[in-house]
Amino acid sequence: MIVFPAIDLKNGHAVRLRQGVMDDATVYSDDPLAVARGFEAQGASYLHVVDLDGAVAGTMVNWTVLECLVKATNLNVQVGGGIRSMERIESLLGLGVDRVILGTAAVREPLLVEQAVTRFGSDRIVVGIDAKNGRVAVEGWVKTSDVSAEELGLSMRDMGVTRVIYTDIHRDGMLTGADIDGAAKLADRTRLKVIVSGGVASLDELRLIRCHIVQGVGFEGAVLGKALYSGAFSLREALETAAAVV
């Protein structure tokens, strides 16, 4: 089970949003690199980064910060937010990013996803499925499409995608618990590897995700954000829980 501590970037700062609302942001640090190094010191191997400004603008905005996170740590960085061209995907992977997350592009330009998977491999391309009332939200979660999470997952699987990050937007940043049942259904119906994101609030939830993995549910891990920043539990505790024998 992989634990992905998260850094969401807004105006160069590490922030957390509530339900994806850009005007409802809490700034946790003006030094995202220090945050990343703190995660690394606690034992993290992976880092989940989202360029919130880029997601809304349609092109990456916090490139300089991302470059520091990649080059000044030994973390495997997966990044999303405003990535909507092959040139940008190539530049990110060339920078040293481990995985590129495509969200809006998966709905608006599915051919780009297929081409990216063909060119770079399914281990390097991840699709973000961000659901609001069962429908996939795009463009920084500002707009909601007519596509369901399951429909998008199935179409992405047909294009060679093997893993997705599933987020229930209403739970994101709320510390009310992730939609583990919804993620499990998505994994079961699509046979994709699913990373659970949005609202994870306790170590018990991580234990449940771990149990699902042991029982054969296609989970790969979980993204942790607000729970770490608010002190609900430490990253070290999360990593120990993820590694524990069930």
Side-chain angles (χ1 to χ4, degrees), residues 64 69 111 114 121 130 171 244:
T64 302
L69 296 177
L111 184 59
E114 184 175 35
D130 307 315
R171 298 169 183 251

Side-chain angles (χ1 to χ4, degrees), residues 148-168:
S148 72
E150 182 180 338
E151 288 170 340
L152 182 59
L154 289 170
S155 65
M156 291 297 102
R157 184 193 66 185
D158 290 343
M159 292 183 177
V161 171
T162 58
R163 61 173 50 80
V164 298
I165 300 170
Y166 172 74
T167 305
D168 182 328

Side-chain angles (χ1 to χ4, degrees), residues 56-235:
V56 175
T59 185
M60 293 196 71
V61 174
N62 291 282
W63 176 273
T64 302
V65 178
L66 174 64
E67 187 175 20
C68 288
L69 296 177
V70 172
K71 293 187 174 182
T73 72
N74 292 311
L75 296 167
N76 296 299
V77 179
Q78 64 180 23
V79 61
I83 306 169
R84 298 174 196 171
S85 71
M86 188 65 75
E87 292 75 19
R88 179 60 76 189
I89 296 170
E90 185 174 15
S91 65
L92 285 166
L93 295 177
L95 176 66
V97 165
D98 184 55
R99 297 175 179 174
V100 171
I101 305 164
L102 301 178
T104 297
V107 177
R108 302 290 197 219
E109 301 179 69
L111 184 59
L112 173 63
V113 178
E114 184 175 35
Q115 291 172 337
V117 170
T118 298
R119 182 171 176 183
F120 301 110
S122 61
D123 285 340
R124 311 299 300 280
I125 305 299
V126 184
V127 167
I129 298 182
D130 307 315
K132 183 181 292 185
N133 298 321
R135 299 292 168 178
V136 178
V138 296
E139 298 178 24
W141 299 356
V142 173
K143 299 180 181 179
T144 305
S145 72
D146 294 325
V147 181
S148 72
E150 182 180 338
E151 288 170 340
L152 182 59
L154 289 170
S155 65
M156 291 297 102
R157 184 193 66 185
D158 290 343
M159 292 183 177
V161 171
T162 58
R163 61 173 50 80
V164 298
I165 300 170
Y166 172 74
T167 305
D168 182 328
I169 293 171
H170 287 306
R171 298 169 183 251
D172 192 62
M174 302 302 290
L175 287 181
T176 54
D179 183 13
I180 296 175
D181 288 342
K185 289 177 182 177
L186 181 65
D188 178 62
R189 293 172 182 174
T190 64
R191 299 302 173 185
L192 293 165
K193 297 176 183 178
V194 175
I195 299 168
V196 181
S197 176
V200 174
S202 69
L203 294 176
D204 282 342
E205 284 185 87
L206 293 182
R207 293 187 184 99
L208 179 57
I209 293 170
R210 172 71 172 158
C211 284
H212 278 318
I213 292 174
V214 172
Q215 293 167 4
V217 175
F219 288 162
E220 184 174 72
V223 174
L224 304 179
K226 185 68 171 290
L228 298 180
Y229 290 94
S230 67
F233 52 81
S234 71
L235 177 57

